[in-house]
Amino acid sequence: MGCCFSSDEDKDVGVQSANERTPLIPPPGDISQPSHGGRVGPNYTTPNGKKDDGQSEFTRIIRQTAINVIDVTSPESQNIEQGEMQDRATQYSNRLNMALSGKSRVYRPNLPLGVTSPQMTLSAAPVSMSDVQLITSVSEKLTSAAKEIKIQHKENLVVNFGGS
Amino acid sequence: MTEELKAYLNKLMGTVEGLHAIAVTDRDGVVIVKVAGQMAPDTALRPPFLSVFGVMTEQAGKMGMGTNKRIINFYDRYQTIQVNYHPLLLHFIADTNANTGLILELENELEDVLKDISKVVGMM
């Protein structure tokens, strides 16, 4: 009376004793009871294979975390003994000799970046003397102009903040 | 052939004024090849110094900004430019006033050398 649908029955209520205090998720003690949809409640026991998967995943996360930790005091480098270092240096030297002896390669510096055809650059006509003189005179003028820049002091450099 | 390689490194070293030494090491700072002038500080060419960069570059790569490639240090008298060229480390030791950009540019000149030396480390 006076309220829409006040006379209708609430057909959505699935549990007879359900009220506003009925938990949506059944308490842990009730997990063995099947719910209304015919589904079995949360199953906390997993097969052995799954358990192992979880364990290995956990180990993996721990290992990954250890790798990600920034540790500048890592003693990895100090683990190598002086003798081992010498041995390794000798081995490197021998192997380097072996690797390089089979080559007839001569190391040469690479061309500067952006130069794909050096013959074009080298065969181009040299810059004319007038251009060189122009560049020299302009740069000298610019240098003298830069030296003559003076600051004309007009206002106080330090002013009171908020002052009129 | 190693002598030719060292001659080439010496030649490159001579192209940058103030560059005193070039060293190529493995991740643990074990020297594979190095050339050094008379002015090069001896301590900077020993494994305890060279190995530190291996650890530092690895740790610096965990800052969330990608792999660390180079670390440049300036000291009172010297500067060190260290390059992470996996699996090698490349070290330049130079005067503090030397042109850092020119030294960094040497990495390109050394690319063929580093590729050849990488194979040596890969064999181990």
Side-chain angles (χ1 to χ4, degrees):
Chain A
M1 292 200 310
C3 179
C4 294
F5 308 112
S6 58
S7 60
D8 288 356
E9 284 178 30
D10 191 355
K11 294 187 174 100
D12 284 344
V13 177
V15 185
Q16 291 300 321
S17 60
N19 56 32
E20 74 277 5
R21 293 187 189 279
T22 308
L24 294 171
I25 299 170
D30 295 344
I31 54 170
S32 57
Q33 289 177 1
S35 61
H36 295 282
R39 282 174 55 198
V40 180
N43 190 358
Y44 294 112
T45 57
T46 51
N48 277 341
K50 292 240 175 183
K51 210 177 234 175
D52 289 349
D53 282 356
Q55 188 63 36
S56 65
E57 182 67 11
F58 180 68
T59 315
R60 192 190 65 77
I61 291 168
I62 294 282
R63 199 184 302 128
Q64 193 58 42
T65 309
I67 290 168
N68 289 341
V69 167
I70 297 172
D71 179 14
V72 288
T73 60
S74 176
E76 285 169 31
S77 59
Q78 279 81 40
N79 283 346
I80 301 175
E81 297 283 329
Q82 186 70 23
E84 193 191 334
M85 212 164 243
Q86 287 286 351
D87 288 349
R88 219 196 278 185
T90 317
Q91 258 184 320
Y92 281 143
S93 176
N94 292 337
R95 283 176 192 273
L96 190 63
N97 264 323
M98 259 169 47
L100 296 180
S101 61
K103 287 189 165 229
S104 57
R105 177 183 213 151
V106 180
Y107 292 114
R108 284 200 188 94
N110 295 335
L111 291 170
L113 293 174
V115 178
T116 49
S117 52
Q119 68 277 11
M120 297 282 283
T121 313
L122 292 171
S123 63
V127 181
S128 68
M129 275 312 288
S130 61
D131 284 350
V132 174
Q133 280 169 357
L134 176 71
I135 292 166
T136 314
S137 65
V138 168
S139 61
E140 276 172 3
K141 279 181 190 170
L142 286 172
T143 312
S144 61
K147 277 181 185 167
E148 282 170 20
I149 292 173
K150 284 176 184 167
I151 298 164
Q152 211 166 11
H153 178 66
K154 280 185 176 175
E155 292 173 8
N156 285 338
L157 289 175
V158 181
V159 292
N160 287 331
F161 184 72
S164 58
Chain B
M1 193 64 195
T2 317
E3 294 310 310
E4 281 178 35
L5 174 63
K6 284 190 177 180
Y8 176 65
L9 291 178
N10 265 315
K11 192 177 157 190
L12 280 184
M13 200 168 75
T15 60
V16 180
E17 197 182 332
L19 179 58
H20 298 312
I22 301 175
V24 181
T25 68
D26 69 359
R27 313 295 299 172
D28 299 316
V30 179
V31 176
I32 301 169
V33 64
K34 77 172 172 190
V35 289
Q38 287 187 337
M39 293 287 285
D42 196 34
T43 45
L45 290 165
R46 288 185 187 153
F49 180 87
L50 298 173
S51 64
V52 172
F53 172 63
V55 179
M56 288 302 156
T57 189
E58 192 182 312
Q59 301 302 319
K62 297 174 183 176
M63 303 277 213
M65 289 185 282
T67 313
N68 177 261
K69 289 185 174 175
R70 300 176 189 94
I71 293 180
I72 301 170
N73 289 299
F74 282 91
Y75 299 88
D76 280 345
R77 288 156 55 204
Y78 297 102
Q79 61 174 298
T80 59
I81 293 111
Q82 294 170 295
V83 183
N84 178 6
Y85 193 95
H86 187 79
L88 303 173
L89 304 178
L90 177 60
H91 313 258
F92 297 100
I93 290 101
D95 204 85
T96 197
N97 296 319
N99 189 323
T100 313
L102 285 178
I103 297 170
L104 285 169
E105 195 61 30
L106 288 183
E107 189 190 336
N108 295 328
E109 313 283 333
L110 285 166
E111 205 171 316
D112 290 340
V113 173
L114 294 173
K115 274 180 188 165
D116 284 345
I117 301 175
S118 294
K119 289 173 197 161
V120 173
V121 177
M123 287 176 187
M124 301 287 276

